[in-house]
Amino acid sequence: MKKIIFRYWSLNIAVTILLYFAYRITISETDYADGDFLDWILHILDIVVNLLYSLAYLVGMALCSFAIFLNLIDKVRNNFYLSLSSFIGIPLIYVVIITLNILRDELLQDNYVTIFRNLLIFSIIYLHFTGLQFSLFRKKVNKLDLNPS
């Protein structure tokens, strides 16, 4: 079972890193309007903030992937809901917090473009991947439970 869980965790880390690089490419492809010196300074500050959020994204998703190791505990692995929360629970909380930040920013200001949107999109992609990974993990666990050899 340790090998199976480690395999799922390593795949999860690999996808996290791929999404991180895709997120960084998305940030670098953002077009900014030409302007005066103040616009140039704001552009540099926006890039720095986006880089910090991309680093926070990488750290957050890496920490979320460590919850997969909770399935090494028999009680967690054999309970569908505990196992589901070990795969999807923490990333879902992460997505809810980002969504609430976006909604708060949009309610407070008119026509506000937030830097959290890209973060939310990539977090939702990660959440869908972990959901798929969880369903494959449950099939594997159920198959092993039926054939104890």
Side-chain angles (χ1 to χ4, degrees), residues 114-130:
T114 179
I115 58 175
F116 288 118
R117 285 200 180 122
N118 286 338
L119 192 63
L120 179 65
I121 290 168
F122 283 97
S123 297
I124 289 173
I125 291 170
Y126 176 79
L127 191 61
H128 284 289
F129 170 74
T130 56

Side-chain angles (χ1 to χ4, degrees), residues 1-31:
M1 186 55 63
K2 289 180 183 180
K3 286 183 180 181
I4 294 170
I5 292 174
F6 185 75
R7 204 173 310 139
Y8 279 97
W9 175 77
S10 58
L11 180 63
N12 197 296
I13 287 292
V15 168
T16 298
I17 292 170
L18 287 174
L19 285 173
Y20 170 73
F21 284 124
Y23 182 58
R24 293 288 299 265
I25 290 170
T26 302
I27 291 170
S28 69
E29 296 295 321
T30 304
D31 290 331

Side-chain angles (χ1 to χ4, degrees), residues 20 25 27 29 34 45 47 51 60 65 70 72 74 78 95 115 119 122-123 128 133 141 143 147-148:
Y20 170 73
I25 290 170
I27 291 170
E29 296 295 321
D34 291 333
L45 289 174
I47 289 172
L51 289 175
S65 71
L70 290 173
L72 288 172
D74 288 336
N78 295 331
V95 168
I115 58 175
L119 192 63
F122 283 97
S123 297
H128 284 289
Q133 197 176 27
V141 166
K143 183 179 171 183
N147 298 325

Side-chain angles (χ1 to χ4, degrees), residues 35-43:
D36 57 357
F37 181 72
L38 181 61
D39 288 337
W40 182 76
I41 295 293
L42 291 175
H43 170 64

